[in-house]
Short mmCIF file of all heavy atoms in Angstrom, two decimals:
data_model
loop_
_atom_site.label_atom_id
_atom_site.label_comp_id
_atom_site.label_asym_id
_atom_site.label_seq_id
_atom_site.Cartn_x
_atom_site.Cartn_y
_atom_site.Cartn_z
N ALA P 319 103.54 87.45 103.87
CA ALA P 319 102.07 86.93 104.05
C ALA P 319 101.12 87.42 103.11
O ALA P 319 100.04 87.85 103.44
CB ALA P 319 101.60 87.25 105.48
N LEU P 320 101.58 87.44 101.83
CA LEU P 320 100.73 87.95 100.80
C LEU P 320 99.62 86.92 100.34
O LEU P 320 99.73 85.70 100.78
CB LEU P 320 101.50 88.23 99.49
CG LEU P 320 102.54 89.44 99.61
CD1 LEU P 320 102.99 89.75 98.30
CD2 LEU P 320 101.96 90.61 100.36
N GLN P 321 98.61 87.40 99.74
CA GLN P 321 97.48 86.61 99.26
C GLN P 321 97.51 86.55 97.85
O GLN P 321 98.20 87.28 97.09
CB GLN P 321 96.19 87.33 99.64
CG GLN P 321 96.02 87.50 101.16
CD GLN P 321 96.06 86.31 102.01
OE1 GLN P 321 95.24 85.42 101.69
NE2 GLN P 321 96.85 86.18 103.00
N PRO P 322 96.96 85.32 97.35
CA PRO P 322 96.89 85.18 95.80
C PRO P 322 96.40 86.52 95.03
O PRO P 322 96.84 86.86 93.92
CB PRO P 322 95.98 84.06 95.57
CG PRO P 322 96.10 83.19 96.83
CD PRO P 322 96.28 84.28 97.93
N GLU P 323 95.41 87.21 95.64
CA GLU P 323 94.87 88.39 94.97
C GLU P 323 95.91 89.47 94.83
O GLU P 323 95.68 90.52 94.17
CB GLU P 323 93.62 88.89 95.62
CG GLU P 323 93.82 89.30 97.09
CD GLU P 323 93.36 88.12 97.97
OE1 GLU P 323 93.54 86.99 97.61
OE2 GLU P 323 92.89 88.44 99.15
N ASP P 324 97.06 89.39 95.54
CA ASP P 324 98.16 90.42 95.45
C ASP P 324 98.98 90.19 94.14
O ASP P 324 99.89 90.93 93.79
CB ASP P 324 98.99 90.29 96.69
CG ASP P 324 98.28 90.64 98.00
OD1 ASP P 324 97.44 91.63 97.86
OD2 ASP P 324 98.45 90.10 99.00
N SER P 325 98.74 89.05 93.46
CA SER P 325 99.44 88.81 92.23
C SER P 325 99.14 89.94 91.30
O SER P 325 98.00 90.36 91.04
CB SER P 325 98.95 87.53 91.66
OG SER P 325 99.28 86.43 92.41
N ALA P 326 100.30 90.55 90.58
CA ALA P 326 100.01 91.75 89.86
C ALA P 326 101.44 92.22 89.37
O ALA P 326 102.44 91.58 89.67
CB ALA P 326 99.48 92.84 90.68
N LEU P 327 101.44 93.18 88.59
CA LEU P 327 102.63 93.84 88.06
C LEU P 327 102.95 94.99 89.07
O LEU P 327 102.04 95.81 89.29
CB LEU P 327 102.52 94.34 86.66
CG LEU P 327 103.79 94.97 86.05
CD1 LEU P 327 104.98 94.07 85.90
CD2 LEU P 327 103.28 95.63 84.69
N TYR P 328 104.12 95.05 89.64
CA TYR P 328 104.46 96.16 90.59
C TYR P 328 105.43 97.08 89.87
O TYR P 328 106.56 96.69 89.53
CB TYR P 328 105.06 95.59 91.98
CG TYR P 328 103.95 94.92 92.67
CD1 TYR P 328 103.50 93.65 92.38
CD2 TYR P 328 103.22 95.56 93.60
CE1 TYR P 328 102.46 93.09 93.17
CE2 TYR P 328 102.10 95.14 94.38
CZ TYR P 328 101.81 93.80 94.08
OH TYR P 328 100.70 93.20 94.82
N LEU P 329 104.90 98.28 89.68
CA LEU P 329 105.77 99.35 89.03
C LEU P 329 106.38 100.26 89.95
O LEU P 329 105.68 100.82 90.75
CB LEU P 329 105.03 99.97 87.97
CG LEU P 329 104.41 99.20 86.80
CD1 LEU P 329 103.28 100.01 86.00
CD2 LEU P 329 105.50 98.87 85.76
N CYS P 330 107.70 100.63 89.70
CA CYS P 330 108.33 101.67 90.39
C CYS P 330 108.50 102.77 89.48
O CYS P 330 108.63 102.63 88.23
CB CYS P 330 109.66 101.09 90.90
SG CYS P 330 110.73 102.40 91.72
N ALA P 331 108.33 104.05 90.03
CA ALA P 331 108.68 105.22 89.18
C ALA P 331 109.41 106.26 90.08
O ALA P 331 109.43 106.08 91.26
CB ALA P 331 107.32 105.83 88.75
N SER P 332 110.00 107.20 89.28
CA SER P 332 110.59 108.39 90.07
C SER P 332 110.43 109.61 89.41
O SER P 332 110.12 109.63 88.09
CB SER P 332 112.08 108.03 90.17
OG SER P 332 112.79 108.12 88.87
N SER P 333 110.42 110.68 89.94
CA SER P 333 110.34 112.08 89.34
C SER P 333 111.32 112.97 90.04
O SER P 333 111.64 112.72 91.18
CB SER P 333 108.96 112.59 89.34
OG SER P 333 108.46 112.75 90.59
N GLN P 334 111.61 114.11 89.28
CA GLN P 334 112.66 114.89 89.78
C GLN P 334 112.44 115.55 91.08
O GLN P 334 113.23 115.49 91.92
CB GLN P 334 112.98 115.94 88.64
CG GLN P 334 114.20 116.68 88.71
CD GLN P 334 114.48 117.57 87.66
OE1 GLN P 334 113.61 118.02 86.83
NE2 GLN P 334 115.76 117.79 87.36
N VAL P 335 111.37 116.32 91.14
CA VAL P 335 111.19 117.09 92.43
C VAL P 335 109.78 116.79 92.85
O VAL P 335 108.76 116.87 92.24
CB VAL P 335 111.24 118.56 92.04
CG1 VAL P 335 111.00 119.40 93.28
CG2 VAL P 335 112.69 118.88 91.47
N PRO P 336 109.63 116.34 94.17
CA PRO P 336 108.35 116.05 94.72
C PRO P 336 107.48 117.38 94.60
O PRO P 336 107.87 118.49 94.88
CB PRO P 336 108.57 115.74 96.13
CG PRO P 336 109.95 115.34 96.16
CD PRO P 336 110.65 116.10 95.14
N GLY P 337 106.22 117.15 94.29
CA GLY P 337 105.29 118.29 94.38
C GLY P 337 105.36 119.12 93.14
O GLY P 337 104.74 120.15 93.02
N ARG P 338 106.08 118.78 92.11
CA ARG P 338 106.11 119.60 90.80
C ARG P 338 105.62 118.73 89.73
O ARG P 338 105.57 117.51 89.83
CB ARG P 338 107.70 119.95 90.65
CG ARG P 338 108.20 120.90 91.56
CD ARG P 338 107.61 122.33 91.50
NE ARG P 338 107.90 122.84 90.12
CZ ARG P 338 109.08 123.37 89.79
NH1 ARG P 338 110.03 123.50 90.75
NH2 ARG P 338 109.25 123.81 88.60
N ASP P 339 105.35 119.34 88.62
CA ASP P 339 104.75 118.56 87.49
C ASP P 339 105.83 118.02 86.56
O ASP P 339 105.70 118.25 85.43
CB ASP P 339 103.82 119.57 86.67
CG ASP P 339 104.67 120.79 86.18
OD1 ASP P 339 105.38 121.39 86.92
OD2 ASP P 339 104.58 121.03 85.02
N THR P 340 106.76 117.39 87.15
CA THR P 340 107.79 116.82 86.33
C THR P 340 107.43 115.33 85.84
O THR P 340 106.71 114.67 86.56
CB THR P 340 109.20 116.80 87.10
OG1 THR P 340 109.00 116.14 88.36
CG2 THR P 340 109.63 118.13 87.34
N GLU P 341 107.97 114.95 84.84
CA GLU P 341 107.65 113.61 84.21
C GLU P 341 108.11 112.46 85.17
O GLU P 341 109.10 112.52 85.83
CB GLU P 341 108.55 113.45 82.91
CG GLU P 341 108.42 112.16 82.21
CD GLU P 341 109.18 112.04 81.03
OE1 GLU P 341 109.69 112.99 80.55
OE2 GLU P 341 109.27 110.78 80.55
N ALA P 342 107.20 111.55 85.33
CA ALA P 342 107.56 110.33 86.05
C ALA P 342 108.14 109.29 85.15
O ALA P 342 107.50 108.99 84.02
CB ALA P 342 106.28 109.67 86.71
N PHE P 343 109.27 108.76 85.45
CA PHE P 343 109.96 107.71 84.72
C PHE P 343 109.55 106.32 85.43
O PHE P 343 109.75 106.23 86.70
CB PHE P 343 111.38 107.89 84.81
CG PHE P 343 111.90 109.04 83.88
CD1 PHE P 343 111.81 110.36 84.33
CD2 PHE P 343 112.38 108.87 82.60
CE1 PHE P 343 112.17 111.42 83.63
CE2 PHE P 343 112.72 109.97 81.80
CZ PHE P 343 112.70 111.21 82.32
N PHE P 344 109.18 105.42 84.60
CA PHE P 344 108.75 104.12 85.15
C PHE P 344 109.78 103.05 84.91
O PHE P 344 110.46 102.99 83.81
CB PHE P 344 107.37 103.63 84.48
CG PHE P 344 106.14 104.46 85.10
CD1 PHE P 344 105.90 105.67 84.66
CD2 PHE P 344 105.44 103.83 86.08
CE1 PHE P 344 104.82 106.31 85.15
CE2 PHE P 344 104.32 104.51 86.67
CZ PHE P 344 104.09 105.75 86.17
N GLY P 345 109.92 102.01 85.76
CA GLY P 345 110.69 100.88 85.45
C GLY P 345 109.79 99.81 84.76
O GLY P 345 108.55 100.08 84.39
N GLN P 346 110.37 98.71 84.53
CA GLN P 346 109.61 97.64 83.69
C GLN P 346 108.76 96.80 84.53
O GLN P 346 108.06 95.86 83.99
CB GLN P 346 110.70 96.82 82.92
CG GLN P 346 111.32 97.61 81.66
CD GLN P 346 112.02 96.60 80.69
OE1 GLN P 346 112.91 96.04 81.03
NE2 GLN P 346 111.52 96.66 79.45
N GLY P 347 108.98 97.03 85.83
CA GLY P 347 107.99 96.29 86.69
C GLY P 347 108.56 94.93 87.14
O GLY P 347 109.35 94.35 86.51
N THR P 348 108.00 94.46 88.22
CA THR P 348 108.16 93.00 88.78
C THR P 348 106.79 92.38 88.60
O THR P 348 105.85 92.83 89.20
CB THR P 348 108.66 93.01 90.17
OG1 THR P 348 110.04 93.57 90.27
CG2 THR P 348 108.69 91.65 90.66
N ARG P 349 106.81 91.27 87.86
CA ARG P 349 105.55 90.51 87.76
C ARG P 349 105.44 89.48 88.97
O ARG P 349 106.25 88.61 88.98
CB ARG P 349 105.40 89.81 86.47
CG ARG P 349 103.98 89.10 86.36
CD ARG P 349 103.67 88.75 85.03
NE ARG P 349 103.76 89.82 83.83
CZ ARG P 349 102.77 90.66 83.78
NH1 ARG P 349 101.62 90.75 84.56
NH2 ARG P 349 102.79 91.73 82.78
N LEU P 350 104.62 89.71 89.94
CA LEU P 350 104.56 88.98 91.15
C LEU P 350 103.45 87.98 90.99
O LEU P 350 102.36 88.35 90.72
CB LEU P 350 104.36 89.78 92.32
CG LEU P 350 104.12 89.20 93.74
CD1 LEU P 350 105.37 88.35 94.05
CD2 LEU P 350 103.72 90.16 94.70
#
Side-chain angles (χ1 to χ4, degrees):
Chain P
L320 294 193
Q321 303 296 310
E323 59 264 30
D324 296 322
S325 298
L327 181 67
Y328 288 84
L329 292 165
C330 174
S332 69
S333 63
Q334 191 172 25
V335 179
R338 295 284 301 276
D339 60 310
T340 53
E341 176 184 349
F343 290 81
F344 284 82
Q346 287 193 302
T348 294
R349 188 167 300 285
L350 174 68

